[in-house]
Every structure is written in structure tokens, then in C-alpha cells.
Amino acid sequence: EAAVTQSPRNKVTVTGGNVTLSCRQTNSHNYMYWYRQDTGHGLRLIHYSYGAGNLQIGDVPDGYKATRTTQEDFFLLLELASPSQTSLYFCASRGRDSAETLYFGSGTRLTVL
Amino acid sequence: EQQVQQSPASLVLQEAENAELQCSFSIFTNQVQWFYQRPGGRLVSLLYNPSGTKQSGRLTSTTVIKERRSSLHISSSQITDSGTYLCAFMGYKLTFGTGTSLLVDP
């Protein structure tokens, strides 16, 4: 079964702190995505990638950086965390064909105090 | 900007009743997928339906491209169906609706 693993599951930091969220997929998928989910806003795309070394900007990129170091690994970086970035973050992956199933990780709940 | 609207925002059913969830898109699309999520849980793909009618167990999705809409019918609802149902436009950039929160009471 295809797998997407996120870490950590929960993270608490202070305003101005640095945070790195990790995502690893073992599906040999080309596409990987970072979303944030907030009540009233649904899932919003932060960044996505077509493959190792590639990065595309999503709909809500401000305050976030991302890096795809390998086919398997996609990281989301918050270099100066703010309370507005308190959210539930999901990573997802899929193959080249848009008809392919999208697989999600279990999410990382981030709290910025 | 691509947008996806879902209705109703929330729905309460008695067990065994049927549910009809709606999704509309701001653009013409043949790449529609439905997902399910328990509160705070991961999203799980239910159905990919580019057009016409697709069925999976008690779930039936109908997508009408020219009307820019898709629906998800849940028959004979069960308590375990409770959760949030999201539709998404599956292009190179995925766009999700805000979801329908379903509660099935015994």
C-alpha cells in the first residue's frame, strides 16, 4: 500500500521560531504537495513539486519555503513562524496521471505561540 | 483563481437515510475526485470521476462537465460515514472545496 509519512505529528513553537516539517513518500510518485487546513478555509495549497529539485508556488506561499531534496522527501520550512501559521498541515503525493489516487499523510498539527 | 464550492456545508441524517452532496467548479473540468476525512484525520480518496456516473459500494458520483458540477450520493448511510467529504479539481495544481460535514445519528 502506498504510504506518505509526516513528522512530527505535533509541534509547538514560539513566534519567530524556525520549524521544519518533513514528508516522505515511498510510492515513487513524481508529484508532492503541502497543504494547510483551517476551519472555514478548507485545504489550501502552499507549495508543490514535480520531482527532486523542482518547486512550484501554491496559493498561500507567504511565510513558507519548501525543498524537494529527493524523489521521496519534501520539506516545508517556516523560518520566522507567526501565530497565523498555527494550522494542520498535510502532505500528499501522486503519480504523473491526474487520474491516479492522491495519498495523504496523517498531518502535522503546528501551534505557534 | 480556480474555485470549488460545496453544498451543503453540513448535513445531519438518521442512520439508513441517503445523502446527496454537491460540488461546483469555477472552470470546466473533467478531473474530479472525492475525498473523506475524519475530524483531524488524513484524507482518503473515495472516487475519481472525470465524467458521467461512477459507483463504489454505497457511493455514487455523477459529474456533468458542461454544467461544471459533480455530486456524491451516499445510500443507506451508516454512523461510520460521519465525517467531512471534500471534492477536488485534479489538475497539475490541486484545488479543494471547503467540504460537507456529515453527521449520521443512530
Side-chain angles (χ1 to χ4, degrees), chain A residues 88-106:
Chain A
L88 181 58
Y89 291 86
F90 285 101
C91 176
S93 76
R94 70 169 173 91
R96 289 182 183 275
D97 189 340
S98 61
E100 294 186 45
T101 298
L102 185 66
Y103 293 94
F104 279 84
S106 299

Side-chain angles (χ1 to χ4, degrees), chain A residues 15 19-20 22 31-32 62 64 78 91 101:
Chain A
T15 299
V19 177
T20 298
S22 301
Y31 291 79
M32 296 186 74
D62 292 346
Y64 302 96
L78 292 74
C91 176
T101 298

Side-chain angles (χ1 to χ4, degrees), chain A residues 17-57:
Chain A
N18 289 347
V19 177
T20 298
L21 306 185
S22 301
C23 178
R24 164 164 282 209
Q25 54 97 1
T26 57
N27 313 317
S28 301
H29 286 163
N30 296 97
Y31 291 79
M32 296 186 74
Y33 304 84
W34 276 109
Y35 285 91
R36 60 178 290 174
Q37 186 175 39
D38 306 283
T39 303
H41 291 281
L43 278 160
R44 292 183 288 176
L45 181 64
I46 304 171
H47 290 298
Y48 61 108
S49 168
Y50 298 147
N54 177 267
L55 181 64
Q56 303 295 319
I57 295 172

Side-chain angles (χ1 to χ4, degrees), chain A residues 4 33 35 37 40-43 45 48 50 59 88 90 94 98-102 104-106, chain B residues 1 31 33 35 37 40-45 48 84 86 90-98:
Chain A
V4 179
Y33 304 84
Y35 285 91
Q37 186 175 39
H41 291 281
L43 278 160
L45 181 64
Y48 61 108
Y50 298 147
D59 297 321
L88 181 58
F90 285 101
R94 70 169 173 91
S98 61
E100 294 186 45
T101 298
L102 185 66
F104 279 84
S106 299
Chain B
E1 181 183 322
Q31 300 176 34
Q33 187 151 155
F35 295 84
Q37 183 184 30
R42 80 170 70 202
L43 283 80
V44 176
S45 175
Y48 174 77
T84 300
L86 300 101
M90 304 286 288
Y92 63 91
K93 191 172 80 167
L94 308 175
T95 304
F96 284 80
T98 53

Side-chain angles (χ1 to χ4, degrees), chain B residues 6 9-10 19 36-37 44 51-52 55 57 59 65-66 74 81 85 91-93 95 100 102:
Chain B
Q6 289 191 245
S10 62
Y36 169 76
Q37 183 184 30
V44 176
S51 67
Q55 184 173 1
L59 305 177
I65 297 173
K66 64 180 180 180
I74 305 172
D81 292 334
Y85 292 79
Y92 63 91
K93 191 172 80 167
T95 304
T100 293
L102 174 65

